[in-house]
């Protein structure tokens, strides 16, 4: 029984060390981008982008927010050097009105672009720049 207790404590300690190492790497990365989706008082979520500063509002009343993985970038029409990307629907829109947003660092500044997916094309036809500041 004592061996089991020691094993559990050791495992917990190792997990906390691994988490600390991951957190340290995240803090030391040159640019961290976050998509923030808080619930809004009237229902739905808001979409904000934080890139090393205060969150910037992108869209109110969204639903079906999903992160897009790096492996999916090319099939969704997102540049390979994008830092982060996500898809979402505006509240009340059909699934055919799916939108995407990606964040990229270019010319020494962070830029965000959003676009609509067009059914049958696989990715946004046209990206529109979003002012972050």
């Amino acid at each position: 029984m004592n061996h089991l207790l020691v094993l559990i404590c050791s495992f917990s300690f190792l997990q906390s060390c691994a988490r600390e190492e991951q957190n340290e790497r995240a803090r030391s990365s040159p640019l961290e981008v976050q998509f923030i989706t808080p619930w809004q008082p009237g229902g739905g979520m808001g979409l904000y982008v934080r890139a090393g500063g205060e969150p910037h509002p992108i869209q109110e009343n969204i639903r079906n927010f999903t992160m897009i993985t790096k492996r999916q970038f090319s099939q969704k029409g997102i540049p390979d050097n994008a830092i982060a990307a996500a898809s979402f629907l505006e509240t009340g829109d059909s699934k055919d009105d799916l939108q995407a947003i990606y964040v990229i660092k270019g010319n020494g500044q962070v830029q965000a672009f959003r676009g609509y997916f067009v059914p049958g094309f696989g990715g946004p036809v046209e990206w529109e720049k979003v002012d972050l500041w």
Side-chain angles (χ1 to χ4, degrees):
M1 184 69 172
N2 285 341
H3 294 291
L4 182 59
L5 184 58
V6 169
L7 184 62
I8 290 171
C9 289
S10 298
F11 182 72
S12 296
F13 175 75
L14 290 174
Q15 276 186 320
S16 89
C17 289
R19 269 189 241 120
E20 279 184 27
E21 185 178 319
Q22 287 173 345
N23 290 340
E24 186 61 34
R25 275 191 301 225
R27 275 186 249 124
S28 66
S29 67
L31 179 62
E32 183 177 325
V33 173
Q34 292 178 308
F35 292 112
I36 303 167
T37 55
W39 286 101
Q40 297 180 323
M45 299 181 290
L47 174 59
Y48 297 80
V49 172
R50 181 189 345 239
E54 291 294 315
H56 178 79
I58 300 296
Q59 180 68 48
E60 292 184 5
N61 298 318
I62 69 162
R63 63 186 175 95
N64 293 41
F65 176 84
T66 307
M67 292 296 297
I68 298 173
T69 65
K70 287 258 188 201
R71 285 179 278 155
Q72 297 171 313
F73 281 9
S74 62
Q75 77 186 54
K76 305 276 187 192
I78 298 167
D80 290 337
N81 60 339
I83 299 167
S87 64
F88 62 94
L89 288 169
E90 289 183 46
T91 303
D93 282 353
S94 73
K95 291 181 182 181
D96 290 338
D97 292 326
L98 188 66
Q99 297 182 51
I101 184 165
Y102 72 86
V103 178
I104 194 166
K105 186 171 183 179
N107 299 330
Q109 64 182 6
V110 177
Q111 299 174 329
F113 294 86
R114 72 188 279 180
Y116 286 87
F117 287 98
V118 176
F121 287 98
V125 172
E126 189 174 309
W127 291 103
E128 178 181 294
K129 186 176 179 187
V130 177
D131 290 327
L132 292 179
W133 290 275

